[in-house]
Amino acid sequence: MKIKDIFKIPDYYDDFECKCGECRHSCCDGFTINITRDEYFRLIGIECPDELRRKLDCGIKLREDADSIKYAQITVDWQGRCHMLDNEGYCALQRECGEDVMTAPCRYFPRSPEIKCLPECSCACGCERTVELLFDHREKLQFRHKELE
């Protein structure tokens, strides 16, 4: 389900860029990522290099309790690392096919949209780069509105 709205965001929001292989605590380590049915079939059918195809074929499994939202999972290997990570700590899917091909949880994390009361979005402090942005921020935190999807 896609949501498009005007969100209240902090002024550091647009400065966020994933550190990928430079991050000491990758969000890709140790997490099982749930993907939708649409994402599953898109990834299964994507044209990509042979090595990435092997990672996709070995690293995605259907959930036993599958529904259209939590249909499959990108699993971790025996070391707890996402199957999509390459040896340099970068997402092979992103590197080979671009950010738009990534699953929603991977593409949007650490961005945290909240729509219960008012549409707001920030970046989770569980992300090393978000913490760096906050530590480097010298002025009083300001907020603005921006259309997000």
Side-chain angles (χ1 to χ4, degrees):
M1 172 179 62
K2 287 189 177 183
I3 297 170
K4 188 174 186 177
D5 207 336
I6 304 294
F7 285 79
K8 181 179 178 181
I9 61 170
D11 54 8
Y12 67 83
Y13 185 87
D14 288 332
D15 295 330
F16 175 81
E17 286 184 19
C18 180
K19 292 174 65 172
C20 300
E22 303 300 316
C23 186
R24 294 174 292 172
H25 306 286
S26 174
C27 58
C28 304
D29 286 345
F31 291 104
T32 300
I33 305 297
N34 290 306
I35 61 176
T36 66
R37 181 176 24 232
D38 291 344
E39 288 174 325
Y40 171 79
F41 285 108
R42 182 174 46 79
L43 290 175
I44 293 303
I46 195 170
E47 289 188 35
C48 60
D50 290 344
E51 178 63 19
L52 179 55
R53 170 54 49 210
R54 184 190 63 72
K55 288 180 178 201
L56 286 167
D57 291 346
C58 293
I60 299 177
K61 71 172 190 173
L62 296 177
R63 290 177 53 107
E64 290 181 22
D65 60 343
D67 60 31
S68 64
I69 303 298
K70 292 182 179 179
Y71 188 76
Q73 296 175 327
I74 297 178
T75 60
V76 296
D77 66 14
W78 64 276
Q79 295 175 310
R81 290 174 43 98
C82 175
H83 282 282
M84 299 306 128
L85 283 180
D86 65 19
N87 292 334
E88 296 172 3
Y90 290 89
C91 176
L93 186 59
Q94 180 179 10
R95 183 176 274 187
E96 295 293 336
C97 302
E99 186 174 299
D100 292 340
V101 174
M102 297 171 67
T103 65
C106 299
R107 188 170 58 249
Y108 294 120
F109 187 82
R111 297 163 194 95
S112 302
E114 179 64 52
I115 57 172
K116 289 180 183 171
C117 295
L118 297 171
E120 298 177 327
C121 193
S122 62
C123 295
C125 289
C127 169
E128 185 175 309
R129 181 62 185 134
T130 298
V131 173
E132 290 172 353
L133 285 169
L134 289 170
F135 278 144
D136 291 343
H137 201 78
R138 299 292 173 218
E139 304 298 320
K140 181 179 177 183
L141 194 60
Q142 301 289 315
F143 295 88
R144 62 186 177 85
H145 292 87
K146 179 178 181 177
E147 184 174 70
L148 300 175
E149 184 175 324

